[in-house]
């Protein structure tokens, strides 16, 4: 569980850097093997009530080594963040 929490903290910190004004992370959920970080548009109350506009999800693969899971985590997180880069 400690490993998943560290990865979730890293993901939240990196994602926060890419989110434009009016977008926030909320309702984060986790288990021993994974987590989900939903992104909400909070520009207006109406937008925020619609539910998440995006989510970053990551789950450990028990068949992979720690190094393989970390490599996949970094790759998936980079793809997710790159998708938000330049969003206005």
């Amino acid at each position: 569980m400690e490993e998943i929490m560290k990865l979730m903290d890293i993901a939240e910190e990196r994602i926060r850097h890419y989110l434009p004004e009016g977008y926030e992370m909320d309702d984060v959920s986790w288990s021993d093997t994974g987590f989900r970080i939903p992104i909400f548009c909070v520009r207006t109350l109406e937008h925020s009530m619609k539910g998440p506009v995006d989510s970053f999800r990551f789950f450990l693969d028990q068949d992979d080594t720690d190094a393989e899971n970390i490599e996949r985590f970094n790759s998936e997180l980079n793809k997710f963040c790159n998708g938000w880069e330049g969003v206005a």
Side-chain angles (χ1 to χ4, degrees):
M1 177 72 119
E2 187 175 321
E3 178 181 356
I4 243 349
M5 298 304 287
K6 287 180 185 177
L7 293 177
M8 188 173 68
D9 289 344
I10 291 167
E12 286 178 313
E13 184 177 317
R14 289 198 37 214
I15 291 168
R16 187 173 291 112
H17 174 75
Y18 287 91
L19 294 180
E21 189 174 324
Y23 290 85
E24 295 179 359
M25 296 174 277
D26 198 9
D27 294 335
V28 175
S29 59
W30 65 90
S31 69
D32 289 342
T33 59
F35 59 87
R36 177 178 176 255
I37 303 173
I39 310 296
F40 293 84
C41 177
V42 293
R43 291 181 177 172
T44 67
L45 181 59
E46 181 180 277
H47 279 111
S48 63
M49 300 301 282
K50 290 184 179 181
V53 295
D54 203 354
S55 291
F56 178 71
R57 293 176 178 90
F58 183 75
F59 295 94
L60 294 173
D61 185 334
Q62 301 302 322
D63 293 331
D64 286 350
T65 64
D66 287 346
E68 290 169 328
N69 275 308
I70 296 298
E71 183 178 337
R72 186 170 47 81
F73 168 78
N74 284 317
S75 175
E76 291 177 15
L77 184 57
N78 285 338
K79 286 179 196 173
F80 185 82
C81 289
N82 288 340
W84 278 94
E85 194 169 36
V87 172

